[in-house]
Amino acid sequence: MSSAGGPADALRVDQVGSLLRPAELKALFAGEAQGEEGSEEDGEAGLRAGMRRAVTRVIGEQVARGIRPIADGEFWRRGFQETFGHSVDGYAPPPAEAGDTGGGGGGQISEAEYVRRRPVESRLELKRNVLLDEYLADREILGERGAAAEPHKVTLTGPERLTQRFDLEHSGSVYDGFDSFMADVVRIEREMIGQVIEAGCPYVHIDEPAYTAYVDPTSLEWMAERHWDPARGLERAIAADNALIDGWEGVTFGLHICRGNAGGHWHREGAYDAIAEQLFDGLRYQRLLLEYDTERAGGFEPLRFVRKGTIAVLGLVSTKTGALEDRDVLLERIEEASKFLPVEQMALSPQCGFASGLTGNPLTEEEQWRKLELVRDVAAEIWGD
């Protein structure tokens, strides 16, 4: 299994992908969802035009501010999980997207709110590679902004998250279990990723918030009630994520792990310790983007299990609040982490995206940019430009 990556491996900064959607884009999404008609900005064409304007602006902001790697903010989507579902046939009619519980912040999201499980009507099959559509549109805009050579990433929900969202109990006899469902997810996502790589994408980021279920007491209790074997689930998930990226050279693969992020709320808690050796040593990704902004994530000791050559991207800057972190505290925390992992194997990022769902987290766009600039500046102080 290959672990060779691309130039983005060396980045000492990162971002998880989602950025606060501007009011105009949120209004267009709301209008499209309600089926409004009657003006040039209504309907699918108006929505796509609004998306493109928003992506063009947000890429321009990143270029101007020196934010790397560049992301489209996930502005082509309503939420971070949407792209896979829109790319396949087979799901039953979907509920509202998970992860958009509104503003506020700080509280915990219930299991029912955070993991809305979806049944299927038939085996999943790729109908249209929406991830490729997003990448090609991004690349065109990057060229227009004179930033075609800049590090750029795309994001996709990982197989474990999609499997934890799969409603096996209400899917008839389509799949005989989670193994067969996950096998189809991996097959489809490999096809999607392969097409994006062929088109020139240098950095593919996989979102796997599902891993923290294996350290969260409430989630483990939920699994026990359904006679799910967490040891088998964790083993299957690591194998699936590795299978997803096997065989591609010259491309950077990053995997993001968090504890929930919706409207400033969180979902799970628990340190990495119980799964760190199996997870951090077992995953073959070049970059592991790890939430580390609060005591819910535990200490840095588990970093000792990160594979040699893998970059642990420390998510020390919160996206759930507008309060700006103290530069000196960030430097102290990175120094503390270096007791367990060489600083040469680290990078810095926010702990999650700023808008996993359409509403976004309770902070302003300017507060968002100040946080990303802080990440940029602290990383430059430690590792150079």
Side-chain angles (χ1 to χ4, degrees):
M1 181 174 293
S2 171
S3 61
D9 294 359
L11 285 172
R12 297 301 180 177
V13 293
D14 219 317
Q15 59 171 311
V16 173
S18 68
L19 298 167
L20 293 169
R21 292 165 180 82
E24 177 203 16
L25 182 58
K26 289 193 281 190
L28 284 169
F29 271 125
E32 189 268 347
Q34 295 165 14
E36 295 177 1
E37 297 179 358
S39 77
E40 292 182 359
E41 289 300 319
D42 289 331
E44 182 64 23
L47 177 60
R48 291 294 300 180
M51 289 174 174
R52 188 179 180 90
R53 286 194 299 272
V55 172
T56 299
R57 283 196 296 267
V58 83
I59 285 177
E61 285 281 0
Q62 291 168 82
V63 171
R65 296 171 186 263
I67 304 302
R68 305 293 184 273
I70 292 173
D72 59 23
E74 300 179 357
F75 287 0
W76 305 108
R77 321 171 185 178
R78 294 162 187 79
F80 83 100
Q81 302 177 102
E82 188 177 81
T83 294
F84 180 81
H86 283 190
S87 294
V88 301
D89 282 326
Y91 278 117
E97 276 298 318
D100 210 5
T101 60
Q108 184 174 9
I109 313 166
S110 71
E111 178 73 14
E113 286 178 301
Y114 189 67
V115 188
R116 299 178 186 174
R117 290 175 173 80
R118 296 187 61 183
V120 299
E121 299 175 322
S122 61
R123 292 191 63 146
L124 299 183
E125 293 294 343
L126 183 63
K127 63 177 179 180
R128 171 184 160 210
N129 190 346
V130 176
L131 186 67
L132 178 62
D133 294 345
E134 294 173 352
Y135 171 69
L136 292 175
D138 289 350
R139 192 176 67 177
E140 185 178 343
I141 292 168
L142 284 162
E144 292 170 356
R145 304 295 301 187
E150 294 286 357
H152 168 230
K153 74 192 299 184
V154 297
T155 64
L156 183 65
T157 308
E160 174 63 4
R161 172 64 173 175
L162 292 167
T163 300
Q164 286 189 11
R165 290 192 71 196
F166 170 47
D167 187 349
L168 177 64
E169 293 87 347
H170 297 93
S171 295
S173 59
V174 176
Y175 289 103
D176 59 10
F178 293 107
D179 286 9
S180 57
F181 175 82
M182 182 176 273
D184 272 359
V185 171
V186 171
R187 171 179 58 82
I188 293 167
E189 290 201 323
R190 276 188 62 84
E191 186 175 355
M192 295 171 68
I193 290 168
Q195 291 174 7
V196 170
I197 291 172
E198 186 176 0
C201 183
Y203 183 179
V204 178
H205 161 123
I206 301 299
D207 281 310
E208 283 287 23
Y211 276 118
T212 53
Y214 297 107
V215 296
D216 174 64
T218 301
S219 299
L220 289 170
E221 182 180 343
W222 192 92
M223 292 182 195
E225 291 171 355
R226 286 154 181 80
H227 306 290
W228 291 9
D229 179 0
R232 170 62 187 139
L234 180 59
E235 178 184 16
R236 178 180 59 217
I238 294 171
D241 274 317
N242 284 337
L244 203 60
I245 66 172
D246 185 26
W248 281 297
E249 300 286 342
V251 179
T252 296
F253 289 99
L255 186 138
H256 170 60
I257 301 171
C258 77
R259 290 160 181 78
N261 180 56
H265 300 280
W266 55 275
H267 173 55
R268 291 172 175 148
E269 55 189 333
Y272 297 107
D273 300 69
I275 61 173
E277 183 171 9
Q278 187 177 358
L279 187 63
F280 295 165
D281 185 55
L283 288 167
R284 299 299 191 262
Y285 283 68
Q286 292 88 36
R287 298 171 74 81
L288 300 177
L289 290 84
L290 306 175
E291 180 184 54
Y292 259 120
D293 64 320
T294 71
E295 61 184 18
R296 289 186 296 107
F300 294 121
E301 292 84 353
L303 295 177
R304 70 188 188 275
F305 294 116
V306 173
R307 291 166 53 84
K308 185 177 181 179
T310 297
I311 298 293
V313 185
L314 304 185
L316 300 177
V317 173
S318 176
T319 65
K320 292 178 169 60
T321 172
L324 189 65
E325 284 74 7
D326 184 277
R327 162 195 166 277
D328 291 337
V329 172
L330 294 181
L331 292 170
E332 289 169 5
R333 296 204 70 198
I334 292 169
E335 183 176 359
E336 181 185 353
S338 70
K339 298 175 184 176
F340 306 99
L341 185 71
V343 72
E344 292 78 18
Q345 277 187 253
M346 295 184 205
L348 181 63
S349 76
Q351 48 82 215
C352 200
F354 289 90
S356 299
L358 190 59
T359 300
N361 288 349
L363 70 166
T364 67
E365 288 187 36
E366 190 51 43
E367 287 169 336
Q368 165 190 268
W369 294 122
R370 283 203 295 268
K371 284 175 176 276
L372 287 167
E373 288 169 345
L374 177 64
V375 168
R376 176 201 66 194
D377 293 345
V378 171
E381 188 169 345
I382 297 171
W383 293 286
D385 289 338

